[in-house]
Amino acid sequence: MSTLSIGGQQLDASWFLLLSAILFVLGAVGVLVRRNPLVILICIELMLNAANLALVTFSRQLQNIEGQLFALMSMTVAAAEAVVGLAILVDIFRARDVEDVDDLSELKG
Amino acid sequence: MAIAVFFFFAALAIVGGVGVVTFHQPIRSVLSLVVVMLSLSVMFLLLSAQFVFAVQIIVYAGAVMVLFLFVIALLGPARELGRGRLRFQASLSILFVLALFGVMYALIQGIEYRQPDQADLSFFGSVQSIAVGLFTTYLYPFELTSILLLVAAIGAIYLSRKRIDDL
């Protein structure tokens, strides 16, 4: 167990990691269970955020700035992913009304 | 004080995460995700990552979420039907995800933390320390992310253009 001294109080690093794991698992449930493609993108964002929390926690525990730098890079990648994913989604919705990802199971234009 | 703040915002983040998964209207999922992101930004502040905190609020809770809201406004309020092609998908996926959580929990319990060299916490996580890392050791990945953003912007414009045959 490793305690972080924050504002004069001791917080355990594994609490932050546990919160990160819970949020990641919630996002994974959403990706697997939900049918709306937009909500699946939202759940992927939730998982990326959970991963960022783990990165920043380890960065603070090791007092090494590289974890925070990597979290910033992953935020950039998440923003690019959201932009391209939403553009593809808008393009699909323009062609036809999709309310279920399984409606898009064929590889035809 | 710090412990109370941690547990309040951790509970808020988990409630928001449950909301993201369970709300049937996408607009409510997006607003729950904003709650999660604001709670996580408080976590970053507790972990003395001030710059990541600011970026989280401006880029994530600001820009990315507004993008999602725009797309929902564009597509109209789609409600989700409760059917699936695979009958056992929901229950099976929850089972597998619980197994994943068990593995992650075991990993967290098994981590052997290395005691760090004591760094100056007033400097750690500030804009200066981020910039020193970003513009010296990690200059090459930093430039690559700018190219990635450019490619993503061009791709989004190309995908959402008006087709000639639509006119």
Side-chain angles (χ1 to χ4, degrees), chain A residues 9 32 34 45 49 63 78, chain B residues 1-2 21 23 56 60 80 119:
Chain A
Q9 280 185 305
L32 290 170
R34 296 301 298 265
E45 293 292 325
N49 258 284
Q63 306 212 342
Chain B
M1 185 61 194
V21 179
F23 276 128
Q56 168 89 359
Y60 248 131
E80 195 165 295

Side-chain angles (χ1 to χ4, degrees), chain B residues 106-120:
Chain B
L107 280 176
I108 289 170
Q109 299 306 313
I111 293 174
E112 288 195 15
Y113 294 97
R114 188 163 60 84
Q115 263 329 75
D117 337 314
Q118 282 301 312
D120 184 10

Side-chain angles (χ1 to χ4, degrees), chain A residues 8 36 70 81 107:
Chain A
N36 189 327
F70 203 84
E81 175 258 343
L107 255 183

Side-chain angles (χ1 to χ4, degrees), chain B residues 30 68 94 97 108 115 129 133 160:
Chain B
V30 171
F68 271 100
I94 286 170
V97 163
I108 289 170
Q115 263 329 75
S129 64
S160 55

Side-chain angles (χ1 to χ4, degrees), chain A residues 9 18 25-26 32 34-36 38 42 45 49 60-63 66 75 78 83 91 94 99 102, chain B residues 1-3 21 23 30 37 47 56 60 72 80-81 85 89 97 105 116 119 138 156 159 161 163:
Chain A
Q9 280 185 305
L18 196 61
V25 159
L26 279 173
L32 290 170
R34 296 301 298 265
R35 329 285 323 155
N36 189 327
L38 195 62
I42 294 168
E45 293 292 325
N49 258 284
R60 170 69 173 78
Q61 202 273 325
L62 295 172
Q63 306 212 342
E66 288 168 15
M75 278 182 190
V83 166
D91 207 40
R94 195 184 286 163
E99 62 217 355
D102 287 343
Chain B
M1 185 61 194
I3 292 178
V21 179
F23 276 128
V30 171
M37 284 173 173
L47 292 166
Q56 168 89 359
Y60 248 131
I72 287 175
E80 195 165 295
L81 303 174
R85 221 162 270 186
Q89 185 175 359
V97 163
Y105 185 77
Y138 293 95
L159 280 169
R161 78 199 186 285
R163 297 262 163 44

